Amino acid sequence: MRILALDSSGLVATVAILEDERTVAEYTVNYKKTHSQTLLPMLDEIVRMTEFDLSTVDAIAVAGGPGSFTGLRIGAATAKGLGLALQKPLIHIPTVDALAYNLYGNEGLICPMMDARRNQVYTGLYRFEKGEFTVVEKQMAISVEELIQKLNQYGETVTFLGDGVPVYQEQLEKGLTTEHFVAPAHLNRQRAAGVGALGMKYFMDGKTETAMEHCPDYLRLSQAERERAERNENHS
């Protein structure tokens, strides 16, 4: 089985090709460029380096949100365009699930945190039970205070990862009463290989969609939509 995987949902742009149990190539950049500038050149580069024939992929796995509205749209447009051109199905992978999947075999709770601004994070709670990836609480957009309360109620060791961790680390240290750790640098951000590995499981379970059906999960209104709602409220 061959999977092409993309993730541009956060600060990281990442592309990978997976074949059965191995990652053929992965290109990840976490630097000051927009994903519209990086994603397709990165894909071109790994295809050139590996002499890979994209028409041989079985499906295209894409991080489907939540995350940056612009980043998600770029990822969705890229995946949809490739799906239509190659006539391949898409696999919609929840962004936060894919982040958690980086920590395969971890003991205790796994808590990805993506900075959603306004003192909120995109998060979810996960664990591995006998090697099986388990969603304890589905991905959500909540305040950091709510997340801290939730984790204290669970009372378990928790491992954090994601770009929201450095932003809110001080709050976490002050508020948490449970043992907690932060995943190391090679595992604590989005990786397309994680999206692809989870995508293979989805594919085997028949969880695919057409390019036309794919739509990102934003989990909350965009800034423009929030501002419009606030203006309407003020005028009413």
Side-chain angles (χ1 to χ4, degrees):
M1 188 195 307
R2 289 178 162 184
I3 299 286
L4 170 65
L6 313 166
D7 190 340
S8 59
S9 60
L11 299 174
V12 175
T14 176
V15 181
I17 296 168
L18 286 82
E19 188 174 65
D20 297 325
E21 298 302 313
R22 71 188 180 110
T23 300
V24 176
E26 184 178 32
Y27 193 157
T28 300
V29 174
N30 186 4
Y31 197 63
K32 308 167 187 174
K33 286 190 177 177
T34 62
H35 297 332
S36 58
Q37 292 175 293
T38 53
L39 206 59
L40 281 173
M42 288 162 63
L43 176 58
D44 286 342
E45 182 67 11
I46 63 171
V47 166
R48 186 184 67 78
M49 290 286 286
T50 60
E51 299 179 341
F52 192 84
D53 181 359
L54 281 179
S55 68
T56 64
V57 299
D58 292 287
I60 299 155
V62 59
S68 149
F69 284 75
T70 304
L72 286 173
R73 287 182 186 123
I74 290 164
T78 304
K80 285 162 83 82
L82 288 165
L84 288 168
L86 300 170
Q87 296 184 304
K88 302 293 181 181
L90 267 55
I91 308 168
H92 183 129
I93 302 295
T95 303
V96 183
D97 291 28
L99 249 177
Y101 202 61
N102 284 354
L103 302 188
Y104 181 88
N106 183 81
E107 290 185 6
L109 285 173
I110 300 168
C111 181
M113 292 174 62
M114 294 175 68
D115 183 16
R117 310 286 174 88
R118 299 162 73 102
N119 209 47
Q120 283 197 322
V121 288
Y122 298 123
T123 187
L125 295 176
Y126 308 84
R127 70 168 90 249
F128 285 91
E129 294 176 344
K130 296 181 180 176
E132 280 299 309
F133 183 58
T134 305
V135 179
V136 178
E137 294 201 27
K138 286 183 181 179
Q139 54 181 24
M140 59 190 123
I142 62 171
S143 71
V144 180
E145 289 85 359
E146 284 178 272
L147 177 60
I148 289 169
Q149 286 172 13
K150 196 181 281 287
L151 291 170
N152 285 341
Q153 283 168 2
Y154 275 96
E156 295 182 49
T157 299
V158 58
T159 304
F160 293 101
L161 71 162
D163 59 48
V165 178
V167 179
Y168 299 110
Q169 192 151 13
E170 200 174 310
Q171 274 177 268
L172 294 173
E173 295 298 338
K174 280 182 182 174
L176 284 170
T177 57
T178 61
E179 187 176 40
H180 52 279
F181 303 97
V182 176
H186 65 298
L187 296 172
N188 69 17
R189 293 293 188 275
Q190 282 88 346
R191 290 189 59 183
V195 174
L198 202 49
M200 284 198 173
K201 290 175 74 70
Y202 272 50
F203 188 82
M204 297 291 281
D205 292 338
K207 296 180 184 175
T208 64
E209 61 188 5
T210 66
M212 297 301 289
E213 288 170 331
H214 179 73
C215 184
D217 295 325
Y218 296 112
L219 286 196
R220 67 176 200 182
L221 298 175
S222 69
Q223 185 177 340
E225 288 169 321
R226 286 197 306 270
E227 288 172 356
R228 184 166 65 243
E230 284 166 13
R231 281 198 304 272
N232 291 343
E233 216 171 85
N234 292 335
H235 289 312
S236 60

